[in-house]
Amino acid sequence: MKKIIFKFILLPALLLAGFPAQAALRVFSCEPEWASLAEELGGDKLDIFSATHAQQDVHYIQARPSLIARLRRADLMICTGADLEIGWLPVLLRQAANPTVQPGLPGFFEASAFAKLLEVPDSVDRAQGDVHPFGNPHIQLDPRNIAKIAAALALRLQSLDPDNADFYRQRYADFDRRWQEKTKQWTERAKPLAGMGLIVYHRSWVYLVDWLSLREVGALEPKPGIPPSAGHLASILQRIESQDVALTVRSVYQSSRATEWIARRSDVPAVVLPHTVGATAGADDLFGLFDSLVDILLEHRR
Amino acid sequence: MNNNASMVFSRRISRPGSGLFFQFCLLLTAVCLLNGAASAQAVSGNRFNPAISLILDGQFSAYSNRAEDFEISGFLIDDEAGPIAEGFSLDESELAISANIDDQYYGFVDVAFVQEADGETAVEMEEAYFQTLNLPSGLTLKGGKFFSSIGYHNVFHSHTWHFADAPLAYQAMLGTTFADTGVQLRWLAPLDRFLELGVEIFQGDSFPAANDNGSPGAFSVFAKTGGDVGISHSWKAGLSYLDYEARKRDGGEALADLMFAGDGEVFIADFVWKWAENGNPRSRNFIIQGEYLHLGEDGQVDFFNGVANESGPYDLDQSGFYIQGIYQFKPRWRVGLRFDRLSSSNQLPALSVVTPLSDDDRNPRRLTAMVDFSNSEFSRLRLQLAIDDSSADNDTQVLLQYVMSIGAHGAHQF
């Protein structure tokens, strides 16, 4: 009998007591880069869930039951915003019945609100493809944006969880110091990349291009969201002949067929660049993401 | 308030000066005020515009049988159900408008412009409801006219269907979609596994319910769960129960003198499984979806034969299922196959009118195949072929359909 009591009552109780203190905030992140940033700033005070991973195109996510369930109890939702998640975020918010993470409230953190968006169109027309009226939403590929967003997120964590405000402040100070240092290193190392010509698959690299003064020569998608066509690829080949292009670049979730088609018909190699944390072997966290971005680009410099 | 303040201001300056100066100041203030008002209006007028989307949905269809002769053996279907008109036709052009009303409520309206067989255009309120945004404890309240959350297929608007028409079981037992006026309360369990429970109370004006008095005539309960398996698979399953009163439901346009008065219930079990390579549905994905529906209804049936009233007790026992698979084999291209099957066992009094209800020893079946192409998320072209064995007269159906959406981005519902 004693044995049974120990096994079924005491042991579970001991195990529960032995667990580290429960996380203070449940964080629902729309993209892996913000989950990684939250991890940097909040450590084990946060229970972080990433709604998407690097293998997925975040434009085309469905409001799956698992996402609804996870959002239900979230204290903080971190998303890129700027309509990147327009197809699924509004549905999730309406189905998750969670009043604390609705837009406009402290529980809803929209990263793009803290970065300067590039390519804000003067007018929008779907004949231009799946354009974003608020500007290009792929803001995570400029470390200067990450720095600004980190500062804002750190303040948000402090206000949502005042008991641990000092902890978050400290984590942020430490992160920011390391981030500024690394940003300086990346920028320095990447100096020779200025002017390097890229053909991109989807126009999701504009912040990287802007930061490192690269040159985007063309996109394999004729219009954003429309898959490459044979005719368009032929026109890209012509462009490669007349302009200096070092690389064609795609994200890991995009088909390799178009980039390889180009590679076979020209001397321009096809490369997968990490677009977020977890996309390639080196990009295990935000630091690794930019390390490998700079490494891969330097490797193909010419 | 603002206006008074500036008037006072302009008078004060003008006091020492001439009349001309006074007039100039007034003019200046008026211009400033007008400008201010105009720009404020431009901002508030446009920025608060709700999300608006317009769906263009039309087709060319050809059937080996006449569409108006369509019937399903063993079932008396609603006028809303049945095949789309033959030849060129607009099915439903939908105008959907939605926005957050304030910090507490969200509002949604969907109006359908339906081209009827006689060429007239009818306006139908598909949905018009509000929904709460910040009830505590995972609760959401919805009120107005809306698509009931029973089953899986029922909540979807026709332009998001994987086939041009609804499953046969939905056409036969729920008039294509069960949409009615009422309230819904949903509860989402505080678990990492999705579990949602809900109740609905309806006025009961939508087929198979029928209401001739002021009190609610239908209610439903539903439970849904779902989740992911690995990174490539996700699923959802549900059980639903609808209880309704049929008070003076007629037999449709062709059988308007036939009147049913009874009580019924519909039970639905639904299941959907989705596969997407690495969780990324963009390039390749597969959906398998199936539902089983059972309807039981009994009461009194009346028929006025032109001279006298015939009546007696009736008892309907109907069921059906569909199973369908949709495979996107490359970006933008999908193929789909659907199998429908129904069966029924109905007891009716001897009437001097023949209805499909008495033809209950046949088991209606239909096999549908489709291929569709979506240039972008906003357009879709579809070719659909069906062999429809709903009635003794086997029907072959060919449809060429377009579905286009203008305006606000559609929702990626699971």
Side-chain angles (χ1 to χ4, degrees):
Chain A
M1 187 64 190
K2 266 187 183 165
K3 221 174 183 178
I4 290 173
I5 290 178
F6 179 75
K7 236 179 170 175
F8 290 98
I9 300 168
L10 283 179
L11 195 62
L14 282 173
L15 280 174
L16 277 175
F19 276 130
Q22 220 185 343
L25 291 176
R26 291 172 62 99
V27 177
F28 181 103
S29 172
C30 286
E31 287 87 21
E33 60 267 23
W34 312 132
S36 182
L37 183 59
E39 171 68 37
E40 295 282 353
L41 300 179
D44 60 5
K45 296 278 185 275
L46 307 180
D47 174 5
I48 304 164
F49 173 76
S50 180
T52 61
H53 53 76
Q55 304 286 329
Q56 292 172 311
D57 185 341
V58 288
H59 297 89
Y60 299 92
I61 301 299
Q62 289 189 333
R64 298 197 311 279
S66 58
L67 302 187
I68 296 169
R70 288 304 299 228
L71 187 56
R72 156 79 163 85
R73 287 190 293 161
D75 303 301
L76 172 64
M77 184 174 199
I78 310 174
C79 294
T80 300
D83 275 3
L84 178 64
E85 306 97 349
I86 185 70
W88 49 284
L89 186 54
V91 195
L92 272 187
L93 284 167
R94 282 198 299 276
Q95 296 196 348
N98 184 342
T100 57
V101 296
Q102 296 294 327
L105 297 179
F108 183 83
F109 184 88
E110 189 179 23
S112 62
F114 304 96
K116 185 173 162 25
L117 264 67
L118 300 176
E119 302 189 329
V120 181
D122 292 329
S123 67
V124 285
D125 186 331
R126 290 250 164 80
Q128 302 156 348
D130 195 5
V131 288
H132 297 278
F134 297 107
N136 192 308
H138 305 281
I139 53 172
Q140 78 279 15
L141 292 176
D142 183 338
R144 298 168 300 185
N145 282 347
I146 301 283
K148 286 184 212 157
I149 293 159
L153 184 58
L155 287 176
R156 189 66 63 90
L157 291 173
Q158 290 165 38
S159 74
L160 285 174
D161 181 19
D163 290 351
N164 292 312
D166 282 339
F167 174 82
Y168 298 125
R169 213 170 287 133
Q170 222 160 22
R171 292 272 305 200
Y172 169 67
D174 177 52
F175 170 79
D176 190 52
R177 185 183 49 74
R178 287 182 295 135
W179 192 255
Q180 299 298 350
E181 209 168 283
K182 285 295 279 186
T183 305
K184 217 175 283 169
Q185 285 175 23
W186 292 320
T187 317
E188 195 60 39
R189 284 182 62 211
K191 264 192 180 143
L193 297 175
M196 180 175 179
L198 300 184
I199 299 279
V200 299
Y201 186 99
H202 178 70
R203 304 215 49 239
S204 51
W205 307 95
V206 295
Y207 292 87
L208 181 72
V209 166
D210 179 65
W211 169 47
L212 297 178
S213 306
L214 311 177
R215 217 160 28 85
E216 187 184 299
V217 179
L220 298 180
E221 288 183 338
K223 301 273 163 67
I226 306 285
S229 63
H232 182 72
L233 288 183
S235 79
I236 290 288
L237 263 190
Q238 280 181 347
R239 222 178 286 178
I240 288 173
E241 278 162 23
S242 63
Q243 297 189 44
D244 185 26
V245 177
L247 272 183
T248 62
V249 168
R250 69 175 172 96
S251 298
V252 63
Y253 60 81
Q254 284 155 346
S255 159
S256 62
R257 283 180 57 194
T259 50
E260 272 158 21
W261 190 90
I262 297 281
R264 276 198 304 275
R265 284 163 184 78
S266 65
D267 57 349
V268 178
V271 162
V272 172
L273 278 186
H275 68 289
T276 186
V277 174
T280 56
D284 298 328
D285 58 13
L286 284 168
F287 291 95
L289 169 64
F290 285 95
D291 276 336
S292 26
L293 275 172
V294 173
D295 286 348
I296 297 171
L297 288 173
L298 280 172
E299 198 182 306
H300 291 90
R301 182 171 68 96
R302 56 178 188 182
Chain B
M1 181 78 189
N2 207 350
N3 198 357
N4 287 343
S6 30
M7 289 302 281
V8 168
F9 177 68
S10 63
R11 268 195 210 124
R12 216 173 266 157
I13 311 176
S14 70
R15 203 174 286 143
S18 67
L20 193 71
F21 182 69
F22 174 74
Q23 278 172 17
F24 175 73
C25 278
L26 258 186
L27 187 72
L28 200 72
T29 322
V31 166
C32 288
L33 276 175
L34 269 177
N35 265 342
S39 64
Q41 206 163 36
V43 169
S44 62
N46 290 325
R47 299 292 287 273
F48 283 112
N49 268 350
I52 300 175
S53 67
L54 184 68
I55 312 294
L56 306 176
D57 186 344
Q59 59 275 310
F60 176 80
S61 44
Y63 309 127
S64 61
N65 294 348
R66 282 158 48 92
E68 51 272 36
D69 295 341
F70 179 82
E71 55 179 45
I72 303 176
S73 304
F75 296 81
L76 200 50
I77 59 170
D78 187 42
D79 291 334
E80 296 253 327
I84 295 157
E86 276 179 281
F88 288 108
S89 71
L90 291 179
D91 188 19
E92 287 182 348
S93 308
E94 278 181 41
L95 178 65
I97 299 176
S98 66
N100 286 340
I101 293 161
D102 56 20
D103 60 327
Q104 309 245 353
Y105 305 105
Y106 162 82
F108 179 87
V109 176
D110 187 300
V111 181
F113 301 91
V114 186
Q115 197 187 46
E116 303 201 310
D118 55 8
E120 297 282 309
T121 300
V123 178
E124 256 175 45
M125 188 62 86
E126 294 252 300
E127 292 195 278
Y129 65 80
F130 74 90
Q131 180 181 312
T132 58
L133 295 171
N134 59 1
L135 285 188
S137 316
L139 292 169
T140 303
L141 182 78
K142 193 191 255 194
K145 182 174 182 186
F146 54 91
F147 288 7
S148 167
S149 293
I150 56 170
Y152 176 76
H153 174 271
N154 200 67
V155 293
F156 290 96
H157 283 260
S158 59
H159 62 89
T160 63
W161 294 350
H162 298 308
F163 292 88
D165 46 14
L168 220 44
Y170 271 83
Q171 293 197 36
M173 288 175 262
L174 291 173
T176 305
T177 297
F178 187 74
D180 206 342
T181 311
V183 290
Q184 177 194 70
L185 186 65
R186 276 198 322 255
W187 177 67
L188 185 61
L191 304 168
D192 285 343
R193 145 96 55 237
F194 175 80
L195 175 65
E196 187 184 63
L197 307 175
V199 291
E200 297 168 323
I201 302 172
F202 292 111
Q203 189 58 21
D205 285 325
S206 177
F207 184 90
N211 201 339
D212 67 346
N213 69 25
S215 56
F219 82 88
S220 77
V221 290
F222 57 84
K224 292 166 198 284
T225 183
D228 293 341
V229 179
I231 63 165
S232 299
H233 302 267
S234 46
W235 62 278
K236 192 177 180 185
L239 293 174
S240 317
Y241 174 83
L242 169 71
D243 187 284
Y244 64 90
E245 289 174 4
R247 296 201 190 97
K248 294 192 180 165
R249 185 185 68 223
D250 67 29
E253 265 171 40
L255 292 163
D257 293 327
L258 196 63
M259 278 295 168
F260 294 88
D263 294 298
E265 53 186 32
V266 178
F267 168 82
I268 309 175
D270 63 79
F271 184 71
V272 60
W273 185 282
K274 298 190 181 187
W275 169 85
E277 202 171 21
N278 295 320
N280 191 37
R282 192 77 207 288
S283 47
R284 290 197 301 145
N285 70 71
F286 183 71
I287 305 167
I288 189 153
Q289 169 186 337
E291 287 183 77
Y292 168 82
L293 284 79
H294 179 269
L295 180 147
E297 184 185 314
D298 57 39
Q300 180 89 9
V301 60
D302 284 87
F303 178 65
F304 183 69
N305 62 17
V307 183
N309 222 35
E310 306 170 355
S311 81
Y314 75 97
D315 191 342
L316 308 179
D317 183 356
Q318 309 175 328
S319 62
F321 72 88
Y322 73 90
I323 183 148
Q324 67 186 38
I326 307 291
Y327 180 46
Q328 178 173 314
F329 55 96
K330 60 189 267 191
R332 307 194 285 178
W333 286 93
R334 310 191 312 164
V335 289
L337 197 64
R338 175 181 65 189
F339 178 69
D340 288 281
R341 192 171 188 276
L342 303 175
S343 63
S344 63
S345 164
N346 307 316
Q347 274 150 33
L348 291 152
L351 300 171
S352 58
V353 63
V354 180
T355 74
L357 284 175
S358 47
D359 196 10
D360 61 353
D361 47 352
R362 286 189 73 253
N363 291 323
R365 286 175 305 173
R366 182 176 66 175
L367 187 65
T368 317
M370 76 90 193
V371 53
D372 66 22
F373 171 74
S374 304
N375 176 54
S376 69
E377 270 198 89
F378 310 100
S379 71
R380 175 164 285 165
L381 299 173
R382 176 182 290 140
L383 173 67
Q384 178 174 315
L385 303 169
I387 299 165
D388 189 349
D389 190 19
S390 290
S391 64
D393 239 352
N394 215 308
D395 194 14
T396 306
Q397 306 164 345
V398 183
L399 278 113
L400 201 54
Q401 184 196 24
Y402 66 84
V403 179
M404 315 262 163
S405 71
I406 303 172
H409 199 295
H412 300 170
Q413 272 195 64
F414 186 86

